[in-house]
Amino acid sequence: MRNRMNRFNRLIIIATVLFVNIQLLSGYEIQKMCKKIFLNQDGTASVVMNVKFSTSENEGLLQLPMIFGNVHIDKANFDSNTKELDVKVVNNDVFNYVEIPFQFEGGNHHLKMDYTIKNYLDWKEAGPGEFNKYEFVTSVENTFLTTIDTFSMCTILPEGWNYHKIIGSAPKFKKKDPKPPYTLDQIDGRSCATITRTPMEYRDKVALEFIFKSTKKSYAIIFISVILIGLYLFFFRNLVENKKKSDVVNKDEINSNEENNNKGETDA
Amino acid sequence: MDVSKINFDTNLNVIPKRPKSKGENRLKYIGFPLGLILFLILYLMPTPVGLSMEGQVAIAAFAAALTWWITEPFPTYATSLLLMAILTFFNGWAEEKVLGVFGLEVIWLNILAFILSSTLVKSQLAKRFALWIGIKFGHSSMTIMGAFILLQLFLAPFIPATTARTVMVLPVMLVIAQIYGSTSDNKNNFGVNLFMQNLQGISIFSSGFITGSTCNIVAAAFIFEMGGRRVYYSEWMIAMLPITIIVMAISWWLGPKFLFKVKPENQVPHVQGGFEVMRKMLKDMGKFSIDEAKASAVFLFVLFLWATDKYHMGWFGFEISAVMAALVGTVIVFLPKIGLLKWNDADIPWHVMIFSAGAYAGGLALFDSGAARFLVGKLFDAIGLNGSLNFWLVYIIIITFAMYAHLFFTSKTMRSIVMIPIIIAIAQQMGFDPVSLALPAAFTLTWVITLPTNAKPNLILYSTGQFSISDNLKYGLTVSTIGVVVMIIAGFTWFRWLGITP
């Protein structure tokens, strides 16, 4: 066990040194990274990733953390250029990342990459629990030394589903915080929860643990309510019927009051 | 007055019934359908963008409960239980959390405080003090009015139940009013001033102590749980007690001199024999009993622990919270030989505990689900409040709103539960320290002094016929407005010096 840990630590150190050098060589800074994770009914997730970065180099290798395995790159381009990029998903036994060679003038650039993650949401594992609730966690970690100035992750539920409750997050929502790090919104009629971390440094995580439910509600409650209202209005009609009956009620209350010999009641 | 007819005992666990007016019966009749329809609309509508489904249920359940608390188709405690059930059935808050509310500090402190107050009644210490103060200061109208204000000031830290305080002092007040020629059939301005000042004293002095009312404890719990800061007994008392004394002193002077001028003939006792009744009652009580001495010792001990909470860590190496101090006091009063109370003597209004637990569950569900924050956001959008607004403008708006909110919302605890989390959220959203707005707002929660229907002590006092609704409105609105002005001045000076406001 101890040997394994030592091996793991060595790997981390090697990887760290390696990426420090790569970063120095490539010389890029990531200002903003946004991942929109569209959860699909079939359990796959379609991810749209937008990265704003700046580089002083005209040519190099852009490397970005890729926490998910089983990824298929659908399309990727720089600065809305139609030319498809040659994206390579690399696994170095410790973590995944993507490598994208670039060749353009130094300055600010924008990468848009769409990819699909297979078997991302296991519906059977997620639920249904009590009240037909499903529970899931989306999580991303910065496995690179490069600091991402602002990172946001938006998890979009399948159509017909909504967030019941956010039960955990990274960064954590503390009682004293003015507002939670996440917000609930809608994208194309689908419910989404966006969580942001500013900045996202090495080993920082962005995660959202949530419960979600179908938006369908049982309308049987309407029928039950109508019956209850009808019964109430019928059996308590003496409250508004006429003065005499109302007086009878009041007299009963007064008599009961006298019997109880009440002297006071606390205020609430 | 026949001494045997004056009863100083209390029976808080039995709810007095009051005949309902025609309007109240109509409200009651439409209340149930109204609440249910409101729930259906809010629950079945598509979940608003920015709100979780849990938050939607919490809002729907709370709106229905609020409607039922106001219109009272069922008793308030039954509505609280129903709210707990709805929250659980519709998954607005987890069952264990809903049920766990009854174990919260706030409920325990209430129960223990009512047990401790029962010792005052059983030992007859309160009765002796009320009689003594009446005899000692009852020879001129201003001094006797002042003496009753002081009596209320004395009772407020010991007896959280405002109705208990009312009931204890009421027989003595009736005797004194009679001595000064004011009866229910033939009231004069002495009676109006005496009863109105006591009504105000009961409510306003409750804001001077964290234990003065359930709503204060609830507010402090919210400030701790949501604002992350514990408000100590001593902190609360130092901040608010001087303000309550200033306002009551103004009221004591303003009422008989300007609002309800007391005629010269009513400024002196009419019936000298009236004092004899009180003297006889006091004489009949005999010497200061052992039970009274025990009750005094326990109360002083608990008060000492409450007042010195900040120093416990240094003295004992651990902190004795308000609830634990009350618990220690309760243990003492129940001990055989040493104590003076048996379980059957403990007068605990369980219906208030149930009501509080349900209301607290509803309020916490609103906060926990993010619904309170969502509603505040919508409120901001509606009235155009934003982060650039000056703190003092927000402070003045909140203090004014909190002070006059009792005109619309009867229950202090309910206002505490509804308003304090929202004010904390407002402060947090605008980047202010939550305590700087929530604590001053909490100070005004017990100021329920404008109408007989504002609080049960008001109704009890109103039932004596010593003042009219218009008298109450006139005096109450004047003192409430004075309260707003003093609170605003305190915000700029006293609270700032104490570090409550920036």
PDB file of all heavy atoms in Angstrom, chain B residues 176-205:
ATOM      1  N   ILE B 176     -56.277  49.876  41.189  1.00  0.00           N
ATOM      2  CA  ILE B 176     -55.694  51.231  41.133  1.00  0.00           C
ATOM      3  C   ILE B 176     -56.571  52.154  40.283  1.00  0.00           C
ATOM      4  O   ILE B 176     -56.853  53.297  40.669  1.00  0.00           O
ATOM      5  CB  ILE B 176     -54.252  51.181  40.563  1.00  0.00           C
ATOM      6  CG1 ILE B 176     -53.330  50.356  41.474  1.00  0.00           C
ATOM      7  CG2 ILE B 176     -53.687  52.580  40.324  1.00  0.00           C
ATOM      8  CD1 ILE B 176     -52.913  51.022  42.761  1.00  0.00           C
ATOM      9  N   ALA B 177     -57.028  51.649  39.128  1.00  0.00           N
ATOM     10  CA  ALA B 177     -57.884  52.462  38.243  1.00  0.00           C
ATOM     11  C   ALA B 177     -59.152  52.871  38.976  1.00  0.00           C
ATOM     12  O   ALA B 177     -59.605  54.023  38.871  1.00  0.00           O
ATOM     13  CB  ALA B 177     -58.218  51.680  36.987  1.00  0.00           C
ATOM     14  N   GLN B 178     -59.684  51.930  39.721  1.00  0.00           N
ATOM     15  CA  GLN B 178     -60.908  52.205  40.494  1.00  0.00           C
ATOM     16  C   GLN B 178     -60.652  53.292  41.539  1.00  0.00           C
ATOM     17  O   GLN B 178     -61.487  54.168  41.752  1.00  0.00           O
ATOM     18  CB  GLN B 178     -61.354  50.913  41.175  1.00  0.00           C
ATOM     19  CG  GLN B 178     -62.855  50.815  41.306  1.00  0.00           C
ATOM     20  CD  GLN B 178     -63.261  49.440  41.815  1.00  0.00           C
ATOM     21  OE1 GLN B 178     -62.489  48.481  41.767  1.00  0.00           O
ATOM     22  NE2 GLN B 178     -64.473  49.347  42.310  1.00  0.00           N
ATOM     23  N   ILE B 179     -59.499  53.211  42.165  1.00  0.00           N
ATOM     24  CA  ILE B 179     -59.128  54.206  43.182  1.00  0.00           C
ATOM     25  C   ILE B 179     -59.084  55.612  42.573  1.00  0.00           C
ATOM     26  O   ILE B 179     -59.450  56.589  43.204  1.00  0.00           O
ATOM     27  CB  ILE B 179     -57.764  53.827  43.812  1.00  0.00           C
ATOM     28  CG1 ILE B 179     -57.914  52.555  44.652  1.00  0.00           C
ATOM     29  CG2 ILE B 179     -57.197  54.957  44.667  1.00  0.00           C
ATOM     30  CD1 ILE B 179     -56.601  51.918  45.061  1.00  0.00           C
ATOM     31  N   TYR B 180     -58.654  55.673  41.295  1.00  0.00           N
ATOM     32  CA  TYR B 180     -58.565  56.968  40.617  1.00  0.00           C
ATOM     33  C   TYR B 180     -59.835  57.287  39.812  1.00  0.00           C
ATOM     34  O   TYR B 180     -59.842  58.124  38.936  1.00  0.00           O
ATOM     35  CB  TYR B 180     -57.332  57.011  39.713  1.00  0.00           C
ATOM     36  CG  TYR B 180     -56.057  57.216  40.494  1.00  0.00           C
ATOM     37  CD1 TYR B 180     -55.406  56.154  41.096  1.00  0.00           C
ATOM     38  CD2 TYR B 180     -55.512  58.493  40.659  1.00  0.00           C
ATOM     39  CE1 TYR B 180     -54.252  56.332  41.826  1.00  0.00           C
ATOM     40  CE2 TYR B 180     -54.359  58.686  41.387  1.00  0.00           C
ATOM     41  CZ  TYR B 180     -53.736  57.600  41.974  1.00  0.00           C
ATOM     42  OH  TYR B 180     -52.584  57.802  42.704  1.00  0.00           O
ATOM     43  N   GLY B 181     -60.899  56.579  40.088  1.00  0.00           N
ATOM     44  CA  GLY B 181     -62.214  56.891  39.526  1.00  0.00           C
ATOM     45  C   GLY B 181     -62.464  56.383  38.122  1.00  0.00           C
ATOM     46  O   GLY B 181     -63.403  56.824  37.455  1.00  0.00           O
ATOM     47  N   SER B 182     -61.634  55.453  37.652  1.00  0.00           N
ATOM     48  CA  SER B 182     -61.833  54.940  36.291  1.00  0.00           C
ATOM     49  C   SER B 182     -62.324  53.492  36.344  1.00  0.00           C
ATOM     50  O   SER B 182     -61.612  52.599  36.814  1.00  0.00           O
ATOM     51  CB  SER B 182     -60.525  55.016  35.502  1.00  0.00           C
ATOM     52  OG  SER B 182     -60.756  54.621  34.176  1.00  0.00           O
ATOM     53  N   THR B 183     -63.554  53.314  35.875  1.00  0.00           N
ATOM     54  CA  THR B 183     -64.104  51.954  35.788  1.00  0.00           C
ATOM     55  C   THR B 183     -64.515  51.685  34.341  1.00  0.00           C
ATOM     56  O   THR B 183     -64.523  52.608  33.519  1.00  0.00           O
ATOM     57  CB  THR B 183     -65.341  51.803  36.694  1.00  0.00           C
ATOM     58  OG1 THR B 183     -66.331  52.731  36.252  1.00  0.00           O
ATOM     59  CG2 THR B 183     -65.008  52.052  38.150  1.00  0.00           C
ATOM     60  N   SER B 184     -64.872  50.444  34.043  1.00  0.00           N
ATOM     61  CA  SER B 184     -65.264  50.115  32.663  1.00  0.00           C
ATOM     62  C   SER B 184     -66.529  50.886  32.259  1.00  0.00           C
ATOM     63  O   SER B 184     -66.694  51.261  31.100  1.00  0.00           O
ATOM     64  CB  SER B 184     -65.484  48.613  32.524  1.00  0.00           C
ATOM     65  OG  SER B 184     -66.420  48.179  33.477  1.00  0.00           O
ATOM     66  N   ASP B 185     -67.412  51.147  33.223  1.00  0.00           N
ATOM     67  CA  ASP B 185     -68.639  51.888  32.915  1.00  0.00           C
ATOM     68  C   ASP B 185     -68.377  53.388  32.832  1.00  0.00           C
ATOM     69  O   ASP B 185     -69.056  54.099  32.108  1.00  0.00           O
ATOM     70  CB  ASP B 185     -69.686  51.640  34.023  1.00  0.00           C
ATOM     71  CG  ASP B 185     -70.015  50.167  34.134  1.00  0.00           C
ATOM     72  OD1 ASP B 185     -69.935  49.487  33.102  1.00  0.00           O
ATOM     73  OD2 ASP B 185     -70.320  49.702  35.256  1.00  0.00           O
ATOM     74  N   ASN B 186     -67.414  53.807  33.573  1.00  0.00           N
ATOM     75  CA  ASN B 186     -67.174  55.247  33.659  1.00  0.00           C
ATOM     76  C   ASN B 186     -65.669  55.503  33.608  1.00  0.00           C
ATOM     77  O   ASN B 186     -65.046  55.867  34.599  1.00  0.00           O
ATOM     78  CB  ASN B 186     -67.799  55.765  34.972  1.00  0.00           C
ATOM     79  CG  ASN B 186     -67.740  57.272  35.045  1.00  0.00           C
ATOM     80  OD1 ASN B 186     -67.673  57.947  34.029  1.00  0.00           O
ATOM     81  ND2 ASN B 186     -67.733  57.809  36.271  1.00  0.00           N
ATOM     82  N   LYS B 187     -65.099  55.294  32.418  1.00  0.00           N
ATOM     83  CA  LYS B 187     -63.640  55.419  32.312  1.00  0.00           C
ATOM     84  C   LYS B 187     -63.216  56.884  32.256  1.00  0.00           C
ATOM     85  O   LYS B 187     -63.958  57.728  31.752  1.00  0.00           O
ATOM     86  CB  LYS B 187     -63.127  54.663  31.083  1.00  0.00           C
ATOM     87  CG  LYS B 187     -63.425  55.273  29.741  1.00  0.00           C
ATOM     88  CD  LYS B 187     -62.819  54.421  28.640  1.00  0.00           C
ATOM     89  CE  LYS B 187     -63.185  54.930  27.257  1.00  0.00           C
ATOM     90  NZ  LYS B 187     -62.407  56.042  26.787  1.00  0.00           N
ATOM     91  N   ASN B 188     -62.048  57.131  32.768  1.00  0.00           N
ATOM     92  CA  ASN B 188     -61.460  58.465  32.605  1.00  0.00           C
ATOM     93  C   ASN B 188     -60.045  58.317  32.033  1.00  0.00           C
ATOM     94  O   ASN B 188     -59.562  57.203  31.829  1.00  0.00           O
ATOM     95  CB  ASN B 188     -61.495  59.252  33.923  1.00  0.00           C
ATOM     96  CG  ASN B 188     -60.634  58.604  35.002  1.00  0.00           C
ATOM     97  OD1 ASN B 188     -59.611  57.989  34.709  1.00  0.00           O
ATOM     98  ND2 ASN B 188     -61.061  58.740  36.254  1.00  0.00           N
ATOM     99  N   ASN B 189     -59.401  59.459  31.797  1.00  0.00           N
ATOM    100  CA  ASN B 189     -58.102  59.417  31.123  1.00  0.00           C
ATOM    101  C   ASN B 189     -56.996  58.796  31.986  1.00  0.00           C
ATOM    102  O   ASN B 189     -55.976  58.374  31.448  1.00  0.00           O
ATOM    103  CB  ASN B 189     -57.690  60.822  30.671  1.00  0.00           C
ATOM    104  CG  ASN B 189     -58.350  61.183  29.351  1.00  0.00           C
ATOM    105  OD1 ASN B 189     -59.018  60.341  28.743  1.00  0.00           O
ATOM    106  ND2 ASN B 189     -58.194  62.423  28.913  1.00  0.00           N
ATOM    107  N   PHE B 190     -57.211  58.740  33.304  1.00  0.00           N
ATOM    108  CA  PHE B 190     -56.224  58.035  34.132  1.00  0.00           C
ATOM    109  C   PHE B 190     -56.205  56.558  33.726  1.00  0.00           C
ATOM    110  O   PHE B 190     -55.141  55.962  33.517  1.00  0.00           O
ATOM    111  CB  PHE B 190     -56.561  58.166  35.629  1.00  0.00           C
ATOM    112  CG  PHE B 190     -55.647  57.326  36.483  1.00  0.00           C
ATOM    113  CD1 PHE B 190     -54.400  57.799  36.861  1.00  0.00           C
ATOM    114  CD2 PHE B 190     -56.011  56.033  36.870  1.00  0.00           C
ATOM    115  CE1 PHE B 190     -53.539  57.009  37.612  1.00  0.00           C
ATOM    116  CE2 PHE B 190     -55.156  55.245  37.626  1.00  0.00           C
ATOM    117  CZ  PHE B 190     -53.918  55.740  37.994  1.00  0.00           C
ATOM    118  N   GLY B 191     -57.391  55.991  33.595  1.00  0.00           N
ATOM    119  CA  GLY B 191     -57.517  54.582  33.209  1.00  0.00           C
ATOM    120  C   GLY B 191     -56.925  54.331  31.827  1.00  0.00           C
ATOM    121  O   GLY B 191     -56.216  53.346  31.605  1.00  0.00           O
ATOM    122  N   VAL B 192     -57.228  55.264  30.887  1.00  0.00           N
ATOM    123  CA  VAL B 192     -56.692  55.114  29.527  1.00  0.00           C
ATOM    124  C   VAL B 192     -55.165  55.083  29.580  1.00  0.00           C
ATOM    125  O   VAL B 192     -54.521  54.179  29.015  1.00  0.00           O
ATOM    126  CB  VAL B 192     -57.171  56.269  28.607  1.00  0.00           C
ATOM    127  CG1 VAL B 192     -56.513  56.184  27.233  1.00  0.00           C
ATOM    128  CG2 VAL B 192     -58.686  56.259  28.461  1.00  0.00           C
ATOM    129  N   ASN B 193     -54.586  56.061  30.285  1.00  0.00           N
ATOM    130  CA  ASN B 193     -53.125  56.140  30.362  1.00  0.00           C
ATOM    131  C   ASN B 193     -52.523  54.925  31.060  1.00  0.00           C
ATOM    132  O   ASN B 193     -51.541  54.357  30.580  1.00  0.00           O
ATOM    133  CB  ASN B 193     -52.707  57.420  31.096  1.00  0.00           C
ATOM    134  CG  ASN B 193     -52.768  58.622  30.184  1.00  0.00           C
ATOM    135  OD1 ASN B 193     -52.061  58.692  29.196  1.00  0.00           O
ATOM    136  ND2 ASN B 193     -53.651  59.562  30.490  1.00  0.00           N
ATOM    137  N   LEU B 194     -53.129  54.553  32.197  1.00  0.00           N
ATOM    138  CA  LEU B 194     -52.583  53.418  32.959  1.00  0.00           C
ATOM    139  C   LEU B 194     -52.598  52.137  32.125  1.00  0.00           C
ATOM    140  O   LEU B 194     -51.579  51.433  32.022  1.00  0.00           O
ATOM    141  CB  LEU B 194     -53.400  53.217  34.244  1.00  0.00           C
ATOM    142  CG  LEU B 194     -52.932  52.057  35.131  1.00  0.00           C
ATOM    143  CD1 LEU B 194     -51.589  52.384  35.781  1.00  0.00           C
ATOM    144  CD2 LEU B 194     -53.952  51.724  36.207  1.00  0.00           C
ATOM    145  N   PHE B 195     -53.738  51.858  31.509  1.00  0.00           N
ATOM    146  CA  PHE B 195     -53.857  50.602  30.758  1.00  0.00           C
ATOM    147  C   PHE B 195     -53.043  50.645  29.466  1.00  0.00           C
ATOM    148  O   PHE B 195     -52.414  49.654  29.090  1.00  0.00           O
ATOM    149  CB  PHE B 195     -55.333  50.272  30.494  1.00  0.00           C
ATOM    150  CG  PHE B 195     -55.963  49.577  31.659  1.00  0.00           C
ATOM    151  CD1 PHE B 195     -56.269  50.269  32.815  1.00  0.00           C
ATOM    152  CD2 PHE B 195     -56.205  48.217  31.627  1.00  0.00           C
ATOM    153  CE1 PHE B 195     -56.815  49.621  33.917  1.00  0.00           C
ATOM    154  CE2 PHE B 195     -56.742  47.553  32.716  1.00  0.00           C
ATOM    155  CZ  PHE B 195     -57.053  48.255  33.872  1.00  0.00           C
ATOM    156  N   MET B 196     -53.056  51.787  28.783  1.00  0.00           N
ATOM    157  CA  MET B 196     -52.285  51.878  27.532  1.00  0.00           C
ATOM    158  C   MET B 196     -50.787  51.809  27.791  1.00  0.00           C
ATOM    159  O   MET B 196     -50.047  51.199  27.029  1.00  0.00           O
ATOM    160  CB  MET B 196     -52.619  53.186  26.795  1.00  0.00           C
ATOM    161  CG  MET B 196     -53.994  53.250  26.175  1.00  0.00           C
ATOM    162  SD  MET B 196     -54.312  51.940  24.997  1.00  0.00           S
ATOM    163  CE  MET B 196     -52.896  52.047  23.988  1.00  0.00           C
ATOM    164  N   GLN B 197     -50.356  52.455  28.871  1.00  0.00           N
ATOM    165  CA  GLN B 197     -48.920  52.420  29.176  1.00  0.00           C
ATOM    166  C   GLN B 197     -48.475  51.012  29.567  1.00  0.00           C
ATOM    167  O   GLN B 197     -47.371  50.593  29.243  1.00  0.00           O
ATOM    168  CB  GLN B 197     -48.600  53.413  30.297  1.00  0.00           C
ATOM    169  CG  GLN B 197     -48.588  54.852  29.820  1.00  0.00           C
ATOM    170  CD  GLN B 197     -48.405  55.843  30.948  1.00  0.00           C
ATOM    171  OE1 GLN B 197     -48.139  55.471  32.085  1.00  0.00           O
ATOM    172  NE2 GLN B 197     -48.546  57.120  30.628  1.00  0.00           N
ATOM    173  N   ASN B 198     -49.336  50.294  30.256  1.00  0.00           N
ATOM    174  CA  ASN B 198     -49.008  48.904  30.598  1.00  0.00           C
ATOM    175  C   ASN B 198     -49.000  48.035  29.348  1.00  0.00           C
ATOM    176  O   ASN B 198     -48.124  47.173  29.200  1.00  0.00           O
ATOM    177  CB  ASN B 198     -49.992  48.362  31.623  1.00  0.00           C
ATOM    178  CG  ASN B 198     -49.492  48.618  33.024  1.00  0.00           C
ATOM    179  OD1 ASN B 198     -48.739  47.838  33.579  1.00  0.00           O
ATOM    180  ND2 ASN B 198     -49.854  49.775  33.576  1.00  0.00           N
ATOM    181  N   LEU B 199     -49.971  48.278  28.475  1.00  0.00           N
ATOM    182  CA  LEU B 199     -50.006  47.548  27.202  1.00  0.00           C
ATOM    183  C   LEU B 199     -48.686  47.771  26.445  1.00  0.00           C
ATOM    184  O   LEU B 199     -48.070  46.829  25.951  1.00  0.00           O
ATOM    185  CB  LEU B 199     -51.204  48.049  26.380  1.00  0.00           C
ATOM    186  CG  LEU B 199     -51.473  47.472  24.995  1.00  0.00           C
ATOM    187  CD1 LEU B 199     -52.974  47.529  24.707  1.00  0.00           C
ATOM    188  CD2 LEU B 199     -50.740  48.174  23.889  1.00  0.00           C
ATOM    189  N   GLN B 200     -48.267  49.040  26.409  1.00  0.00           N
ATOM    190  CA  GLN B 200     -47.007  49.358  25.718  1.00  0.00           C
ATOM    191  C   GLN B 200     -45.811  48.780  26.469  1.00  0.00           C
ATOM    192  O   GLN B 200     -44.893  48.223  25.850  1.00  0.00           O
ATOM    193  CB  GLN B 200     -46.867  50.880  25.600  1.00  0.00           C
ATOM    194  CG  GLN B 200     -47.850  51.492  24.626  1.00  0.00           C
ATOM    195  CD  GLN B 200     -47.993  52.993  24.820  1.00  0.00           C
ATOM    196  OE1 GLN B 200     -47.234  53.619  25.552  1.00  0.00           O
ATOM    197  NE2 GLN B 200     -48.979  53.575  24.158  1.00  0.00           N
ATOM    198  N   GLY B 201     -45.828  48.916  27.783  1.00  0.00           N
ATOM    199  CA  GLY B 201     -44.711  48.411  28.586  1.00  0.00           C
ATOM    200  C   GLY B 201     -44.519  46.913  28.413  1.00  0.00           C
ATOM    201  O   GLY B 201     -43.401  46.429  28.237  1.00  0.00           O
ATOM    202  N   ILE B 202     -45.639  46.194  28.428  1.00  0.00           N
ATOM    203  CA  ILE B 202     -45.576  44.731  28.272  1.00  0.00           C
ATOM    204  C   ILE B 202     -44.894  44.382  26.950  1.00  0.00           C
ATOM    205  O   ILE B 202     -43.995  43.539  26.898  1.00  0.00           O
ATOM    206  CB  ILE B 202     -46.991  44.115  28.343  1.00  0.00           C
ATOM    207  CG1 ILE B 202     -47.524  44.186  29.782  1.00  0.00           C
ATOM    208  CG2 ILE B 202     -47.004  42.674  27.837  1.00  0.00           C
ATOM    209  CD1 ILE B 202     -49.024  43.981  29.901  1.00  0.00           C
ATOM    210  N   SER B 203     -45.311  45.059  25.888  1.00  0.00           N
ATOM    211  CA  SER B 203     -44.769  44.735  24.557  1.00  0.00           C
ATOM    212  C   SER B 203     -43.364  45.290  24.360  1.00  0.00           C
ATOM    213  O   SER B 203     -42.473  44.588  23.894  1.00  0.00           O
ATOM    214  CB  SER B 203     -45.687  45.293  23.469  1.00  0.00           C
ATOM    215  OG  SER B 203     -46.902  44.606  23.488  1.00  0.00           O
ATOM    216  N   ILE B 204     -43.192  46.556  24.713  1.00  0.00           N
ATOM    217  CA  ILE B 204     -41.919  47.220  24.403  1.00  0.00           C
ATOM    218  C   ILE B 204     -40.769  46.667  25.265  1.00  0.00           C
ATOM    219  O   ILE B 204     -39.686  46.419  24.755  1.00  0.00           O
ATOM    220  CB  ILE B 204     -42.055  48.755  24.531  1.00  0.00           C
ATOM    221  CG1 ILE B 204     -42.968  49.279  23.405  1.00  0.00           C
ATOM    222  CG2 ILE B 204     -40.703  49.451  24.484  1.00  0.00           C
ATOM    223  CD1 ILE B 204     -43.349  50.734  23.503  1.00  0.00           C
ATOM    224  N   PHE B 205     -41.016  46.432  26.542  1.00  0.00           N
ATOM    225  CA  PHE B 205     -39.936  45.896  27.393  1.00  0.00           C
ATOM    226  C   PHE B 205     -39.559  44.470  26.986  1.00  0.00           C
ATOM    227  O   PHE B 205     -38.456  44.018  27.278  1.00  0.00           O
ATOM    228  CB  PHE B 205     -40.323  45.952  28.868  1.00  0.00           C
ATOM    229  CG  PHE B 205     -40.274  47.346  29.436  1.00  0.00           C
ATOM    230  CD1 PHE B 205     -41.293  47.822  30.249  1.00  0.00           C
ATOM    231  CD2 PHE B 205     -39.214  48.193  29.152  1.00  0.00           C
ATOM    232  CE1 PHE B 205     -41.251  49.116  30.764  1.00  0.00           C
ATOM    233  CE2 PHE B 205     -39.163  49.486  29.660  1.00  0.00           C
ATOM    234  CZ  PHE B 205     -40.189  49.941  30.466  1.00  0.00           C
TER     235      PHE B 205
END
